[in-house]
Amino acid sequence: MNIDTDNPWWLLPEGTILELECETRFQKTETRSTIVYLLVRRDESEAVVEVESRFQGQQGASWPSQLKVPRTPQVAAPPGHSEVVEGWDVIETPAGRFECRRVRIRTRAGDTEVDTVTWANRELPVSVKTHTCAGEV
């Protein structure tokens, strides 16, 4: 296992559950949700991960799905996106301190530009922190 090139899902045992607490602020509205990831199984080429999003304050609001994650991670931004690796930061969360790579991805949809900054720890399969800002160009 090479954590610099392999997908971090291969560092975790099958059955591992990760929960992310999310806060979304859009204009004057704030939404809180929990995203639950369950590593169901994996083989030499892919991992199967169940993902469920639960929204606080909305009884029964949940969006389950299943992802097939390739072992070799995508290393480039998708077409139409620009990716800039900006450096490394230490991010503090209720779960602890994490050394993270900071990556900025910019996209454009018509007259709207979306700027997303993600902090990812090489040993975790999900981001530690993400900040997205959208506005007119």
Side-chain angles (χ1 to χ4, degrees):
M1 174 75 200
N2 181 341
I3 62 173
D4 291 324
T5 58
D6 275 343
N7 190 306
W9 283 109
W10 272 259
L11 291 173
L12 304 171
E14 291 180 2
T16 295
I17 296 174
L18 299 172
E19 290 191 22
L20 298 179
E21 297 293 325
C22 304
E23 271 183 30
T24 304
R25 293 185 204 112
F26 180 70
Q27 296 176 347
K28 295 183 180 181
T29 304
E30 184 174 304
T31 305
R32 294 181 183 272
S33 61
T34 301
I35 302 173
V36 180
Y37 297 87
L38 167 62
L39 176 57
V40 177
R41 67 181 177 282
R42 64 173 176 261
D43 58 29
E44 290 301 315
S45 62
E46 70 181 14
V48 176
V49 180
E50 288 183 0
V51 181
E52 183 177 358
S53 299
R54 302 175 186 154
F55 297 91
Q56 294 178 359
Q58 298 179 16
Q59 192 72 11
S62 176
W63 293 336
S65 63
Q66 194 174 78
L67 300 174
K68 292 184 178 180
V69 181
R71 182 168 186 151
T72 305
Q74 181 179 351
V75 294
H81 299 62
S82 62
E83 179 180 278
V84 178
V85 176
E86 297 186 320
W88 290 84
D89 296 321
V90 174
I91 302 297
E92 292 194 37
T93 72
R97 294 170 52 102
F98 299 92
E99 185 177 335
C100 297
R101 180 178 64 153
R102 183 177 63 247
V103 176
R104 179 180 305 270
I105 297 176
R106 293 188 177 107
T107 59
R108 183 175 288 187
D111 292 336
T112 302
E113 185 173 275
V114 179
D115 186 46
T116 301
V117 180
T118 300
W119 288 265
N121 177 281
R122 76 174 98 201
E123 296 179 20
L124 296 175
V126 295
S127 64
V128 173
K129 179 179 176 179
T130 300
H131 181 264
T132 300
C133 183
E136 290 186 30
V137 178

